[in-house]
Amino acid sequence: MLNIGCHLSAAKGYLHMGEEAVSIGANTFQFFTRNPRGGAAKAIDESDVKAFTAFAKEHGFSKILAHAPYTLNACSDKEATREFALNTMRDDLARMEYTPGQLYNFHPGSHVGQGAQVGIELIVKQLNAVLTKDMTTTVLLETMAGKGSEVGRSFEELRAIIDGVELREKMGVCLDTCHVYDAGYDIVNDLDGVLDEFDRVIGLERLKAIHMNDSKNPFESHKDRHEKIGEGAIGLDAMVRIINCPRLQGIPVLLETPNELDGYAKEIKMLRDAYAF
Ligand code: FE
Ligand code: FE
Ligand code: ZN
């Protein structure tokens, strides 16, 4: 079973996202918990969540992925920015409990010149402040392209964050194909080697979601520009090897390619047609 979906707008609520997903052949999706640039979140509509939960069950949805706003930076050098990140994540995680047992992904942050070590310590501090024993959500660190002072450009940096978290069982990783390729992990010519390294450094059991994006830029560019599937430097063959990789079965795959709904529908069909299991 290929669990695949794409990024959808949350403006019309959960049930609407579920219906939209089904209409394009998806059985999962990603959405922003609030405006990607930050700001207040819409109040949760409990009847909408309830209707969605029934709908998702009926249509065999896998786990869905909530994405934190980009502006969230737990390792900023500014206290106010760090505080915003902390409050936003805490609020997001409280809201996530309306849909128990799902996934919450965030960009670890940018250390803005303080160095990766300081960045990692600040991110750890925030996670230790917001994670709770009772929460049912798994919090995912996204693999980053290494643009600017991004933390999370290597598996070692992600491992260091996880190592610092007390409630480590709440943590996982979301692998973004564009980002890791951009960061210098050759998933085109050596997928197995990259997965071996992921397993050695982080542990493959922590891999909970895949962002499937082609890349506008060549290997190791550190630029983070997504391209449509098959139209970038990674190419369709490499994507097909990823979805058909025995070690990655069951992990939800989310497209964040530059597309409207019809474009996403085409990519989902293309990948489902190439799925071998
Ligand atoms: Fe992301
Ligand atoms: Fe991503
Ligand atoms: Zn990206």
Side-chain angles (χ1 to χ4, degrees), residues 144-235:
M144 300 311 291
K147 185 174 46 143
S149 64
E150 276 174 351
V151 178
R153 63 180 63 212
S154 69
F155 297 161
E156 283 80 3
E157 289 187 3
L158 298 178
R159 167 65 191 264
I161 296 169
I162 294 168
D163 275 347
V165 174
E166 286 151 26
L167 295 169
R168 221 162 294 160
E169 69 275 17
K170 308 290 183 190
M171 298 297 301
V173 171
C174 172
L175 184 142
D176 186 310
T177 57
C178 169
H179 296 178
V180 290
Y181 191 65
D182 228 10
Y185 291 98
D186 194 354
I187 53 171
V188 174
N189 298 300
D190 188 19
L191 175 63
D192 266 315
V194 172
L195 294 179
D196 285 345
E197 191 166 344
F198 189 104
D199 193 34
R200 181 177 59 77
V201 177
I202 301 175
L204 215 46
E205 70 283 356
R206 295 252 184 225
L207 182 55
K208 303 293 186 193
I210 294 170
H211 280 167
M212 183 158 277
N213 305 303
D214 215 322
S215 175
K216 278 197 200 297
N217 294 292
F219 184 60
E220 228 172 351
S221 300
H222 305 292
K223 289 223 172 71
D224 188 2
R225 295 286 308 282
H226 302 186
E227 181 54 282
K228 293 183 171 129
I229 302 300
E231 296 185 22
I234 300 176

Side-chain angles (χ1 to χ4, degrees), residues 40-247:
K42 240 177 61 186
I44 295 265
D45 173 350
E46 289 191 49
S47 67
D48 173 48
V49 170
K50 232 177 155 177
F52 164 71
T53 305
F55 182 88
K57 202 171 167 195
E58 184 188 328
H59 287 87
F61 274 49
S62 75
K63 285 186 196 295
I64 57 169
L65 183 56
H67 196 306
Y70 295 142
T71 42
L72 194 142
N73 188 8
C75 59
S76 167
D77 56 348
K78 295 190 183 63
E79 163 104 58
T81 306
R82 293 199 301 268
E83 205 178 297
F84 169 82
L86 180 100
N87 293 332
T88 300
M89 189 179 281
R90 186 175 276 150
D91 184 49
D92 278 351
L93 291 176
R95 297 156 54 84
M96 290 293 294
E97 290 303 315
Y98 285 92
T99 51
Q102 306 304 315
L103 307 168
Y104 177 77
N105 173 65
F106 77 107
H107 295 181
S110 292
H111 64 68
V112 291
Q114 303 175 96
Q117 198 44 49
V118 171
I120 288 164
E121 282 164 24
L122 289 168
I123 296 159
V124 165
K125 195 172 155 203
Q126 168 166 324
L127 286 165
N128 282 331
V130 300
L131 300 187
T132 63
K133 267 203 188 71
D134 295 340
M135 62 183 267
T136 62
T137 304
T138 303
V139 175
L140 309 187
L141 301 164
E142 182 166 350
T143 59
M144 300 311 291
K147 185 174 46 143
S149 64
E150 276 174 351
V151 178
R153 63 180 63 212
S154 69
F155 297 161
E156 283 80 3
E157 289 187 3
L158 298 178
R159 167 65 191 264
I161 296 169
I162 294 168
D163 275 347
V165 174
E166 286 151 26
L167 295 169
R168 221 162 294 160
E169 69 275 17
K170 308 290 183 190
M171 298 297 301
V173 171
C174 172
L175 184 142
D176 186 310
T177 57
C178 169
H179 296 178
V180 290
Y181 191 65
D182 228 10
Y185 291 98
D186 194 354
I187 53 171
V188 174
N189 298 300
D190 188 19
L191 175 63
D192 266 315
V194 172
L195 294 179
D196 285 345
E197 191 166 344
F198 189 104
D199 193 34
R200 181 177 59 77
V201 177
I202 301 175
L204 215 46
E205 70 283 356
R206 295 252 184 225
L207 182 55
K208 303 293 186 193
I210 294 170
H211 280 167
M212 183 158 277
N213 305 303
D214 215 322
S215 175
K216 278 197 200 297
N217 294 292
F219 184 60
E220 228 172 351
S221 300
H222 305 292
K223 289 223 172 71
D224 188 2
R225 295 286 308 282
H226 302 186
E227 181 54 282
K228 293 183 171 129
I229 302 300
E231 296 185 22
I234 300 176
L236 179 61
D237 288 354
M239 299 303 188
V240 169
R241 285 194 293 272
I242 290 170
I243 59 169
N244 286 327
C245 176
R247 302 157 89 179

Side-chain angles (χ1 to χ4, degrees), residues 2-4 62 204 207-210 247-253:
L2 178 59
N3 295 319
I4 189 166
S62 75
L204 215 46
L207 182 55
K208 303 293 186 193
I210 294 170
R247 302 157 89 179
L248 302 176
Q249 291 313 299
I251 299 174
V253 173

